[in-house]
């Protein structure tokens, strides 16, 4: 039985940090700060529904492989479940459960009427042809057909998926319903009801948070030295927008390693180079090769981890030189590392705030679809910016008044809002 199957082991190495335990620890800390009743935090520490399905897929060579696909619905107290679908070899049920919980707090923090969910399949999409990926996406969504829907659970892209997969999933759902249902997913292509601004939204939100945090320190983006781990949907967009705003992006990386230039990389040229070289960035002229561990410990003003979780840990935390870390990925800084950074006076702006631009524009896409009225990009970006800036200000205000870290402040706001709604709705039966 291979690693992609239903009963694959969850704990690949002794250094394994369980993402769900970490997510529950953050919830516990917020519950303590909010003095929540035991029953409330007990309810919120459990996902409402966990679905694992088998996905039999015919490979192009005729072989049949059976993959495991997960969808975890953490909470729908504030509205339909919302969360991405990840295609990545490290996907496990625990990881998906942790990410579903994070989505609940993120939507609550941003004040959008959604609950939290996440989905994933443990595959390396690069090992599959486009037609195999289409068969996997379609079968996955058809297995989940009774669990999703525009007012039930609305998937979106995450690592390893994009507008292309969302289009296949929307089509599969629609064919099964007998009519077009664009609202079943967000992050769709524009041709089927996607929103302008969605592709760059998470990176744009990261840029807004970095800009606001620098402004609070009396600084601007101009000339600020930034290192970014990950050059995909989120890292690539953040790099481009920060570069356009005058920041010096001194390093970026992919899973294969990174490139570094003391005086800053030309991000438009690097993007063009990556497009021409099958997404590879190594060999980019006028840049030195560096490893991912080296990138994280570079001397810089701002560090943006925009790839995977558990990248800044007890192992490397003492070598981190940035004094502002903006979490563009979900869970890139471990709980212990976060405490060490706080003790050293390093500010960590948490994922549930910093990478919320994507779900905000997903929400705006859903609103536009439901009202059959589509907005120009300026309006989409403006609405998103306003929600991101408001959330940033609320988090910093809570952090200052309660004398707690921005991470705990963000959790206090997110968890507090859900707990209030739970209290108001009451417990059935
Ligand atoms: P992506 O697949 O588009 O890009 C991921 C990037 O990380 C790629 O450049 C890849 O090469 C790199 N990478 C992969 N393994 C790596 C490794 N071991 N070390 C360093 N780099 C590695 O994914 P994405 O959509 O940009 O998502 C990145 C992160 O942001 C994830 O944690 C995701 O959950 C989070 N996120 C994404 C969105 C979104 O809208 N796509 C929204 C919120 C949060």
């Amino acid at each position: 039985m291979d690693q992609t199957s239903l009963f694959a082991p969850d704990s690949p190495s002794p250094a394994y940090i369980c993402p769900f335990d970490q997510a529950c620890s953050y919830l516990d800390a917020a519950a303590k700060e909010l003095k929540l009743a035991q029953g409330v935090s007990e309810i919120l520490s459990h996902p409402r529904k966990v679905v694992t399905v088998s996905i039999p897929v015919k490979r192009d060579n005729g072989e049949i492989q059976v993959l495991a696909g997960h969808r975890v619905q953490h909470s729908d107290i504030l509205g339909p479940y919302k969360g991405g679908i990840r295609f990545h070899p490290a996907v496990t049920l625990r990881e998906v459960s942790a990410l579903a919980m994070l989505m609940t707090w993120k939507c609550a923090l941003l004040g959008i009427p959604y609950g939290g969910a996440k989905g994933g399949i443990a595959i390396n999409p690069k090992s599959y042809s486009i037609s195999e990926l289409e068969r996997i996406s379609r079968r996955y969504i058809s297995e989940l057909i009774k669990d999703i829907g525009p007012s039930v659970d609305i998937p979106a892209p995450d690592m390893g998926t994009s507008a292309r997969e969302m289009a296949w999933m929307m089509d599969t759902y629609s064919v099964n319903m007998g009519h077009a249902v664009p609202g079943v997913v967000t992050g769709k292509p524009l041709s089927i009801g996607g929103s302008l601004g969605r592709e760059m939204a998470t990176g744009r939100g990261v840029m807004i948070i970095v800009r606001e945090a620098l402004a609070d320190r009396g600084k601007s983006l101009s000339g600020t030295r930034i290192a970014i781990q990950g050059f995909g949907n989120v890292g690539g967009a953040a790099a481009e927008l920060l570069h356009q705003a005058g920041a010096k992006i001194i390093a970026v990386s992919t899973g294969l390693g990174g490139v570094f230039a003391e005086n800053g990389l030309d991000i438009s040229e690097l993007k063009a180079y990556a497009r021409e070289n099958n997404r590879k960035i190594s060999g980019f002229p006028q840049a030195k090769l560096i490893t991912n561990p080296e990138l994280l410990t570079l001397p810089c003003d701002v560090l943006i981890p925009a790839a995977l979780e558990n990248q800044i840990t007890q192992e490397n935390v003492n070598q981190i030189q940035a004094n502002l870390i903006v979490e563009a990925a979900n869970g890139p800084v471990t709980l212990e590392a976060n405490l060490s950074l706080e003790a050293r006076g390093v500010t960590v702006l948490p994922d549930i705030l910093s990478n919320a631009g994507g779900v905000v524009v997903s929400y705006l896409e859903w609103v536009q679809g439901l009202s059959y009225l589509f907005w120009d990009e300026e309006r989409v970006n403006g609405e998103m910016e306003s929600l991101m800036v408001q959330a940033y200000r609320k988090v910093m205000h809570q952090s200052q008044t309660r004398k707690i870290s921005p991470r705990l402040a963000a959790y206090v706001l997110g968890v507090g809002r859900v707990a209030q709604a739970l209290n108001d709705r009451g417990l059935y039966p």
Side-chain angles (χ1 to χ4, degrees):
M1 194 169 286
D2 64 32
Q3 285 294 313
T4 54
S5 76
L6 187 54
F7 300 107
D10 220 22
S11 180
S13 82
Y16 176 70
I17 300 165
C18 173
F20 191 70
D21 289 350
Q22 288 216 109
C24 287
S25 301
Y26 290 133
L27 167 62
D28 288 348
K32 205 166 154 199
E33 181 70 27
L34 288 160
K35 300 188 176 57
L36 290 187
Q38 167 273 336
V40 174
S41 47
E42 186 64 20
I43 292 172
L44 297 179
S45 66
H46 290 81
R48 179 155 180 222
K49 193 169 187 179
V50 177
V51 186
T52 296
V53 295
S54 291
I55 305 164
V57 55
K58 191 182 254 182
R59 304 290 309 251
D60 291 343
N61 64 6
E63 189 190 305
I64 305 280
Q65 188 182 8
V66 183
L67 307 171
H70 308 292
R71 184 75 182 165
V72 176
Q73 297 172 332
H74 174 255
S75 165
D76 66 346
I77 292 167
L78 292 175
Y81 300 107
K82 185 85 190 88
I85 292 173
R86 183 177 280 200
F87 286 0
H88 190 275
V91 163
T92 66
L93 188 53
R94 282 166 191 273
E95 180 194 66
V96 176
S97 304
L99 293 168
M101 189 191 278
L102 290 193
M103 283 305 294
T104 301
W105 316 139
K106 191 183 297 183
C107 294
L109 169 64
L110 269 290
I112 55 183
Y114 282 144
K118 204 79 178 189
I121 306 178
I123 51 166
N124 180 354
K126 290 194 190 108
S127 311
Y128 293 82
S129 69
I130 292 178
S131 50
E132 287 171 340
L133 288 171
E134 178 170 356
R135 291 197 285 279
I136 293 169
S137 303
R138 287 185 181 280
R139 183 65 191 248
Y140 170 69
I141 227 63
S142 80
E143 292 295 336
L144 291 173
I145 214 125
K146 293 201 173 81
D147 297 295
I148 60 167
S151 54
V152 181
D153 182 354
I154 309 144
D158 193 82
M159 276 187 94
T161 59
S162 64
R164 180 183 68 182
E165 284 74 16
M166 294 307 112
W168 293 331
M169 292 180 187
M170 175 268 181
D171 182 68
T172 305
Y173 186 86
S174 300
V175 168
N176 278 276
M177 293 298 130
H179 55 95
V181 190
V184 67
V185 293
T186 58
K188 303 178 287 289
L190 286 177
S191 60
I192 50 170
S195 175
L196 290 167
R198 175 61 184 90
E199 220 179 316
M200 300 286 278
T202 309
R204 184 176 296 280
V206 170
M207 182 271 284
I208 291 165
I209 296 298
V210 175
R211 185 194 68 201
E212 294 299 303
L214 288 171
D216 275 354
R217 289 158 178 73
K219 294 181 182 160
S220 76
L221 283 170
S222 178
T224 293
R225 294 165 62 78
I226 302 180
I228 304 180
Q229 184 196 40
F231 199 54
N233 187 322
V234 179
E240 187 173 337
L241 294 167
L242 287 162
H243 174 69
Q244 280 166 12
K248 270 191 186 167
I249 311 300
I250 58 163
V252 299
S253 65
T254 69
L256 299 173
V259 288
F260 165 78
E262 179 62 38
N263 293 322
L265 298 156
D266 185 321
I267 299 297
S268 342
E269 282 186 19
L270 181 58
K271 282 204 149 177
Y273 180 87
R275 262 194 307 275
E276 282 157 24
N277 291 280
N278 199 19
R279 284 189 278 181
K280 263 202 204 137
I281 56 173
S282 57
F284 181 60
Q286 292 149 27
K288 277 195 230 159
L289 284 179
I290 50 165
T291 63
N292 266 296
E294 283 166 349
L295 180 142
L296 296 172
T297 58
L298 282 173
C300 59
D301 303 309
V302 184
L303 175 62
I304 305 181
L308 297 175
E309 47 267 37
N310 299 336
Q311 296 302 296
I312 301 173
T313 65
Q314 286 295 71
E315 300 286 304
N316 61 0
V317 69
N318 291 331
Q319 288 125 51
I320 302 293
Q321 301 196 54
N323 52 33
L324 174 62
I325 299 176
V326 177
E327 290 188 324
N330 284 310
V333 180
T334 65
L335 195 130
E336 286 83 8
N338 197 78
L339 292 174
S340 307
L341 290 164
E342 273 171 34
R344 269 172 45 200
V346 177
T347 303
V348 184
L349 294 176
D351 44 14
I352 60 169
L353 168 70
S354 310
N355 68 26
V359 75
V360 169
V361 177
S362 273
Y363 163 61
L364 299 175
E365 175 179 333
W366 184 71
V367 167
Q368 291 170 76
L370 293 180
S371 60
Y372 303 96
L373 186 65
F374 288 86
W375 309 339
D376 62 25
E377 191 165 355
E378 207 179 319
R379 174 157 180 206
V380 174
N381 291 344
E383 300 271 356
M384 186 265 271
E385 176 156 353
S386 144
L387 287 176
M388 290 297 290
V389 172
Q390 273 176 46
Y392 171 80
R393 299 230 176 290
K394 281 189 203 155
V395 167
M396 295 323 285
H397 177 73
Q398 282 288 323
S399 167
Q400 279 146 17
T401 49
R402 288 181 181 264
K403 299 194 175 22
I404 54 177
S405 68
R407 185 186 306 278
L408 184 51
Y411 272 77
V412 161
L413 287 163
V415 173
R417 183 164 176 236
V418 179
Q420 180 65 50
L422 179 60
N423 209 36
D424 293 343
R425 282 180 60 163
L427 191 59
Y428 174 85

